Amino acid sequence: MDDDVLISKSFKLLGAEGRTALIPYVTAGYPNRDATVPLLERLKDVGADIIELGIPFSDPLADGPTIQRSSFAALENGTTVASVLADLRTFRDGNDLPIVLFSYLNPILAYGLEAFLSDAVTAGADGILLTDLPTGADPEVEARISESPLALIRLIAPTTPFERVPKVTRGGSGFVYYISRTGVTGARVKLRESLAEELGQIRSVVSLPVAVGFGISTPEQAASVAGVADGVVIGSALIEALDKGGIDGGADFLHSIRIGMDRG
Amino acid sequence: MSTKTPTPVNRFGPFGGRYVPETLIGALDELSSAYDEAASDQSFCSEVDSLLKDFGGRPTPLYHAERLGEAAGHPSVYLKREDLNHTGAHKINNTIGQALLAIRMGKRRIIAETGAGQHGVATATACALFDLECIVYMGEEDVERQALNVYRMKLLGAEVRAVGSGTRTLKDATNEAIRDWVTSVETTHYIIGSVVGPDPFPRMVRDFQAVIGRETRKQILEITGRLPSAVFACVGGGSNAIGIFDSFLSDKEVRLIGVEAAGTGIETGQHAASLAVGKPGVLHGSFSYLLQDEDGQVSPAHSVSAGLDYPGVGPEHSYLKDIGRAEYTAVTDQDALDAFHRLAELEGIIPALESAHAIAYVLKVAAKYRNNGPVVVCLSGRGDKDVSYVAQIEGNEPLV
């Protein structure tokens, strides 16, 4: 469905300005339950174009130590699917920044897929990304998400066989998330040198905007990725900045990324 | 090993599937086709069979446990002696096969998860045999309660990585192994130790373990001239149970009974009885019965036995439960500890605490089967690894 209006609009506007989307990830309920709404507002103020809001799961097997830690802490704080949707609704009351919910399948199934899709849309979500629901894993669940107003954000990995790439993005919308290297989420010192070439190959068969994430942690890296991608996802490095400097520290860090990208 | 055609679909009814990060899809496709090709290659199957015989010690005996039977009120209780395999458990049946498959795929780095350490030891053993690099992920709590197996793995040349996140047991060791695999998939094969995980693991591990049931069926017919009335096996992830059940699936008159860990009692919430009280959900790449809370967060499991201390279960068991082909029950830590002693005293066999769950249940119910023919219990492993842990528990809190 073409209801991922805000996400598409965001990429179109940025494209017209020659800018790249800055897409921060934060775990809802981290560092505490009250932090989420003010944090989302600050991230918007310092230049986020789309925000990935993580619904924590007890077994985040696609995540590295930083996001694992934030997920466990959020669960200890009592964060639930319902509380994340409530925070989202509060934030979206007066904000039109697109929000992509980021999670694993089980909390969504336990909430009830239809109820979740309906409540997430009501709360103001624009898209959903489920790390353990690769294309073809569960055609029924995938079809129900695709038919909902939420954009189904698909992931492409460096290990995705090239002939699978067009198949991966079929039924997806909004943008495609390219994992810049094999592995779990987390800050890295070096990014893949072949990134530009890989993105060129993806673009030859995919028409959606391509955001790149997994491992981007400095303004220099963000600037270099921004030169070749339509969007830059910043997750673990932002969580680490939050740990060091609270909401202000996180916002300052993201601002430095924004400046790096725009200058780059 | 069996050369039967592998299941063409990746599910058992609604259960199973491939709920994994996109990064692993290419590797799972590669593994599926390599496995399907190997399973229909006579030379691969012969190599597995010959190693299981000469290196592993197969076939394992089917032993008439007369004194156990007397205590249980049934004259004809048989133990399938998987404890007599090299390394002391059925786990070697799978690791030999998967290690040969890894070599066939050109992958010389092996990772594994382990709970009790039996699968870790069996993986380290296969890696020593074939000169493969071996890294075993094990929860910190299990590293403490299974110190002997940790040392055995190190002796065999493996690196043991203690996992301190989450529950510090098998569930989080599996998460960490999957994270390693997501990072290293281009050079690494992940030898999963049970019939869990994304397709093709549940069917592949089943096929490697199905030798248990093939031998058992042949042996019981030779010894008693009839099929058993019931087959019992403990269920954590469920590999020994699937292994022994598989050859009896079409013998409708044979009851198949899986015994889960009831921990300190189902009612206490401290247990590992996924099939008894779990709800279907997604963990570690497959859809299956799962211990979880109402928000879909996975609940910590508990069992005195590290090998059963897992909140999920193999998807084929979920299917067998739902279609009514197999029945599942659970026994407590205390019952398992009692059975650990009783088998030692009655038969001179110290069972693994995992297997002691199956023995405990047979002691409770065998009498009901006394007029229906022999019963078979899969004695999946030996208890040497548990001796010091049991002594420690009993020192703190005497059992008798």
Side-chain angles (χ1 to χ4, degrees), chain B residues 82-84 88-90 118 349-353 355-356 378-383 385:
Chain B
E82 290 301 298
D83 61 315
L84 294 178
H90 69 293
Q118 290 303 101
I349 298 170
I350 301 172
L353 278 176
S355 323
C378 189
L379 191 67
S380 55
R382 68 177 185 229
K385 69 183 175 65

Side-chain angles (χ1 to χ4, degrees), chain B residues 121 143 145-153 384-386:
Chain B
V121 167
V143 167
R145 59 182 165 174
Q146 303 288 346
L148 177 65
N149 273 345
V150 173
Y151 190 62
R152 287 168 81 196
M153 287 184 266
D384 306 45
K385 69 183 175 65
D386 296 310

Side-chain angles (χ1 to χ4, degrees), chain B residues 161-301:
Chain B
R161 294 190 184 163
V163 177
S165 60
T167 59
R168 303 162 70 239
T169 60
L170 180 55
K171 170 176 83 80
D172 289 272
T174 307
N175 287 336
E176 210 52 39
I178 293 173
R179 290 183 187 114
D180 180 317
W181 204 33
V182 170
T183 310
S184 62
V185 63
E186 286 147 310
T187 59
T188 299
H189 175 62
Y190 176 18
I191 300 189
I192 290 187
S194 192
V195 286
V196 300
D199 179 76
F201 286 106
R203 61 183 166 94
M204 178 173 75
V205 177
R206 172 200 64 201
D207 293 350
F208 286 131
Q209 292 295 359
V211 64
I212 305 174
R214 276 199 305 280
E215 285 177 8
T216 303
R217 195 172 187 287
K218 185 161 166 272
Q219 289 165 323
I220 196 84
L221 287 171
E222 277 168 9
I223 298 167
T224 69
R226 59 189 296 188
L227 288 171
S229 56
V231 175
F232 299 86
C234 65
V235 176
S239 68
N240 89 90
I242 283 288
I244 197 164
F245 289 174
D246 191 62
S247 288
F248 296 101
L249 285 177
S250 45
D251 301 315
K252 301 295 181 204
E253 69 275 31
V254 179
R255 289 177 72 175
L256 304 175
I257 299 166
V259 185
E260 296 188 293
T264 56
I266 300 283
E267 69 289 352
T268 66
Q270 304 291 306
H271 59 81
S274 331
L275 289 161
V277 293
K279 282 189 309 185
V282 172
L283 178 69
H284 297 152
S286 68
F287 181 69
S288 195
Y289 279 89
L290 178 63
L291 298 178
Q292 54 180 317
D293 68 17
E294 59 185 20
D295 291 319
Q297 307 299 340
V298 179
S299 308

Side-chain angles (χ1 to χ4, degrees), chain A residues 5-15 21 49-50 97-98:
Chain A
V5 190
L6 283 183
I7 297 175
S8 306
K9 204 165 92 185
S10 176
F11 276 105
K12 269 190 203 119
L13 285 174
L14 288 161
D49 297 299
I50 296 169
L97 194 78

Side-chain angles (χ1 to χ4, degrees), chain B residues 52-74:
Chain B
L52 289 182
K53 173 172 170 280
D54 300 330
F55 182 71
R58 300 209 74 90
T60 59
L62 186 69
Y63 164 69
H64 186 190
E66 291 183 47
R67 294 194 65 213
L68 174 69
E70 203 176 301
H74 190 304

Side-chain angles (χ1 to χ4, degrees), chain A residues 56-63 68 72 75 80 105-107 109-110 131-134 137-138 155 157 159-160 164 168 179 182-184, chain B residues 11 18-23 25-26 165-166 171-172 175-176 178-179 182-183 185-186 281-284 287 290 292 294-298:
Chain A
F57 178 49
S58 55
D59 293 82
L61 52 75
D63 286 302
Q68 282 177 52
F72 295 147
L75 290 173
T80 62
L105 187 54
N106 204 55
L109 292 180
T131 58
D132 56 357
L133 186 70
D138 195 322
L155 289 142
T159 51
T160 302
R164 182 175 153 83
V168 165
I179 300 168
T182 56
V184 292
Chain B
R11 285 182 190 260
R18 270 191 194 172
Y19 298 91
V20 293
E22 172 66 26
T23 309
I25 294 295
S165 60
K171 170 176 83 80
D172 289 272
N175 287 336
E176 210 52 39
I178 293 173
R179 290 183 187 114
V182 170
T183 310
V185 63
E186 286 147 310
V282 172
L283 178 69
H284 297 152
F287 181 69
L290 178 63
Q292 54 180 317
E294 59 185 20
D295 291 319
Q297 307 299 340
V298 179

